[in-house]
Amino acid sequence: MAAAAPDLMSTIVSLCKRKGFIFQSSEIYGGLNSCWDYGPLGVELKRNVKDAWWRSVVTNRRDVVGLDASILMHPKVWEASGHLAGFSDPLVDCKKCKERFRADHLENLEKCPNPKCGGELTEVRKFNLMFKTFMGAVEDQTATVYMRPETAQGIFVNFLNVQHASRLKPPFGIAQIGKSFRNEITPGNFTFRTREFEQMEIEFFVPPAEDAKWYEYWRDARLKWYSDYGIKREKLRLRDHEKDELAHYAKGCVDVEYLFPFGWSELEGVANRTDYDLKQHSQFSGKNLAYFDEETKQHYYPYVIEPSAGADRATLAFLIDAYDVEGEGKDERTVLRFHPALAPIKAAVLPLVKRDGMPEMAENIYRDLLDNSIKSFYDHTASIGRRYARQDEAGTPFCITVDGQSTEDQTVTVRERDSREQYRVAAGGVVELISKKMKESMK
Ligand code: GAP
């Protein structure tokens, strides 16, 4: 039986630890709040999520190019972007239990919301979410630098570098995947809100008159991406920001939301950032970042449509959505129904017993899969039923079993994860079959 919604998160968290998807950071020292480490299956899953995103927004398109900017940037970047002055949350502390809360999440600003405490709260203070550090040997004001709170600014400051080097004309985009850091007051819900996380951002530069068209385009394209990679459509929705929610630079913003076990929450935001960032950086740097249109012989600041996603949040949503428990009693099984392109392991090779030439034949198939860059796993321990169950829980779409018949007629059994359907194929055709199935799943 599947776990009820409130328990689902704790079930997912323990499955993640047991199977090696995600561990608490620095666990042997008691853990570090809101930091998480991806284990062998988790790192494959997250990498596949990032690869799927990159393929869809960079590799398979003619109008988007990539960038990998540094995390530490000139401190003036954050003055120009508005982060130094405005990237803050209102904060209160409980004078009794010392817990810290976001003031905008509380109904009563007088009393600690923890029912066991009820202590008096401090005045509301602004708390800047950027992490500070020092560059070089001197730890003073002049050496202060910030860990970037979004990857976007690395794209804006490189706008003309990329445009000149790639000779693209608006509409075109620059995409980037990278770590961002925010000293969140209330991190939580596992990897949903953390202080160190990875973003997948596109800044798509358009002629100002085309902003509405491209805003709609990216809103629909990004929603579709999540359902193309297996998230149930009824668990996805678009939510337009209210006027008072909009960032000061945004003309419009829509969130792609997923129905997490803790409620509808943001997976990704698609914003119309107007020409705010290019103009700000032009003003603060003294370098004109306007685009020169060769046809009209005029300079203009493109508008920016920004689809901004979180790699960790997307990975969590794909994990939760894939989780399924089916059957009853001894037939019950837990299965992660990942889209094959996202599955950490594509195929498991299982010799039925450890004798009669089966391990040797299985080893050859395993080697062949690895040589063809198909991430696979070899398992010869425990009963075949137990081994299938392990692979179902890891989300492996295909199991290849080498049995007594295999050594006689050079065929093997393929078992499909979702349907549990089994069929025989020639051992020499396994790589081709898995490659074909993988290719089909990406369409
Ligand atoms: N450049 C725009 C920007 O950064 P955002 O809505 O603050 O916009 C974009 O962040 C995405 O980054 C979010 O939709 C979410 O997926 C991810 N994200 C933001 N803060 C996060 C956090 N503390 N932990 C995990 N992911 C986060």
Side-chain angles (χ1 to χ4, degrees):
M1 290 266 288
D7 290 336
L8 184 56
M9 276 315 283
S10 42
T11 308
I12 296 280
V13 174
S14 53
L15 175 88
C16 279
K17 177 169 180 191
R18 186 162 47 82
K19 296 298 289 184
F21 281 96
I22 301 170
F23 308 122
Q24 171 76 68
S25 160
S26 321
E27 192 187 55
I28 59 167
Y29 289 101
L32 181 65
N33 188 18
S34 101
C35 296
W36 300 94
D37 299 342
Y38 287 81
L41 291 186
V43 74
E44 296 290 341
L45 174 64
K46 187 171 160 191
R47 182 178 289 256
N48 292 340
V49 169
K50 290 187 286 181
D51 285 350
W53 182 87
W54 192 265
R55 261 196 317 275
S56 118
V57 305
V58 181
T59 316
N60 297 358
R61 297 183 65 102
R62 61 182 73 191
D63 57 357
V64 181
V65 289
L67 181 75
D68 186 4
S70 63
I71 288 172
L72 301 175
M73 301 179 73
H74 195 290
K76 277 223 150 198
V77 167
W78 309 113
E79 262 180 67
S81 68
H83 283 87
L84 258 184
F87 193 57
S88 51
D89 280 338
L91 165 102
V92 285
D93 289 298
C94 173
K95 290 183 184 168
K96 195 168 155 200
C97 71
K98 309 290 178 218
E99 212 176 318
R100 187 161 267 195
F101 304 95
R102 267 183 63 173
D104 54 335
H105 288 178
L106 299 182
E107 277 176 18
N108 181 351
L109 285 175
E110 311 283 309
K111 213 169 115 186
C112 178
N114 182 344
K116 288 194 191 134
C117 173
E120 195 190 336
L121 297 177
T122 60
E123 290 289 298
V124 178
R125 285 180 291 133
K126 285 269 181 199
F127 175 75
N128 195 295
L129 301 183
M130 281 198 294
F131 277 97
K132 265 186 207 170
T133 186
F134 301 98
M135 189 164 245
V138 189
E139 294 195 6
D140 69 8
Q141 196 63 33
T142 56
T144 303
V145 288
Y146 300 89
M147 312 280 276
R148 67 179 175 201
E150 61 173 13
T151 61
Q153 299 304 324
I155 298 180
F156 295 128
V157 300
N158 277 297
F159 168 66
L160 278 191
N161 283 337
V162 175
Q163 194 274 318
H164 288 159
S166 60
R167 295 189 295 116
L168 284 164
K169 299 181 183 135
F172 81 93
I174 305 175
Q176 170 162 226
I177 298 179
K179 289 258 181 169
S180 293
F181 302 83
R182 295 181 191 178
N183 203 357
E184 301 278 3
I185 299 168
T186 46
N189 285 325
F190 198 24
T191 55
F192 179 81
R193 188 180 310 284
T194 54
R195 295 189 170 116
E196 173 182 341
F197 54 96
E198 227 168 335
Q199 290 190 303
M200 309 188 288
E201 298 200 291
I202 310 163
E203 306 304 324
F204 200 76
F205 301 91
V206 304
E210 294 180 21
D211 67 336
K213 177 179 103 182
W214 285 105
Y215 179 67
E216 261 181 51
Y217 168 86
W218 279 110
R219 179 196 64 193
D220 298 346
R222 293 303 307 143
L223 176 74
K224 184 171 177 296
W225 182 79
Y226 292 98
S227 66
D228 281 351
Y229 280 95
I231 296 203
K232 293 170 203 76
R233 182 60 189 84
E234 66 275 17
K235 294 218 167 174
L236 289 167
R237 73 175 187 192
L238 292 170
R239 189 184 68 79
D240 284 309
H241 279 212
E242 302 290 338
K243 277 261 173 307
D244 61 354
E245 272 182 278
L246 284 179
H248 57 284
Y249 51 76
K251 187 170 157 188
C253 186
V254 56
D255 285 345
V256 180
E257 293 191 335
Y258 175 68
L259 185 54
F260 284 93
F262 44 87
W264 285 102
S265 303
E266 174 186 342
L267 269 180
E268 162 162 3
V270 179
N272 180 348
R273 290 184 77 125
T274 69
D275 53 7
Y276 175 82
D277 302 273
L278 291 181
K279 279 188 171 161
Q280 284 291 104
H281 286 301
S282 297
Q283 190 193 325
F284 277 74
S285 68
K287 303 272 176 342
N288 185 7
L289 296 182
Y291 167 74
F292 181 67
D293 189 330
E294 293 283 354
E295 277 167 36
T296 62
K297 303 288 178 217
Q298 284 189 334
H299 280 97
Y300 74 88
Y301 289 100
Y303 268 35
V304 173
I305 307 302
E306 177 194 63
S308 172
D312 306 273
R313 257 186 218 183
T315 301
L316 181 62
F318 283 119
L319 243 168
I320 292 170
D321 210 71
Y323 178 82
D324 191 18
V325 178
E326 65 170 23
E328 301 265 329
K330 67 177 177 34
D331 286 334
E332 184 178 292
R333 69 164 180 156
T334 298
V335 52
L336 291 178
R337 299 184 191 279
F338 290 126
H339 185 286
L342 301 187
I345 299 169
K346 311 301 180 195
V349 185
L350 317 169
L352 191 61
V353 290
K354 279 189 264 181
R355 56 182 151 74
D356 304 334
M358 290 179 224
E360 292 77 7
M361 189 172 167
E363 178 62 39
N364 282 341
I365 296 171
Y366 178 48
R367 188 68 264 157
D368 211 13
L369 285 161
L370 297 184
D371 286 348
N372 283 279
S373 305
I374 299 171
K375 183 72 190 157
S376 304
F377 186 76
Y378 183 92
D379 188 4
H380 60 208
T381 59
S383 71
I384 194 70
R386 183 79 206 97
R387 282 181 273 168
Y388 284 152
R390 280 182 197 150
Q391 294 309 316
D392 287 344
E393 265 196 322
T396 308
F398 306 102
C399 285
I400 316 294
T401 306
V402 175
D403 56 20
Q405 189 182 327
S406 304
T407 49
E408 285 168 19
D409 67 2
Q410 300 299 303
T411 63
V412 292
T413 300
V414 177
R415 173 192 182 264
E416 299 212 355
R417 177 196 65 203
D418 294 341
S419 61
R420 286 189 267 190
E421 190 196 342
Q422 299 194 10
Y423 47 89
R424 293 196 83 85
V425 299
V430 167
V431 166
E432 200 187 324
L433 175 89
I434 307 278
S435 305
K436 188 165 155 263
K437 294 237 173 209
M438 292 302 301
K439 211 166 172 191
E440 280 167 6
S441 76
M442 305 237 236
K443 278 184 188 149

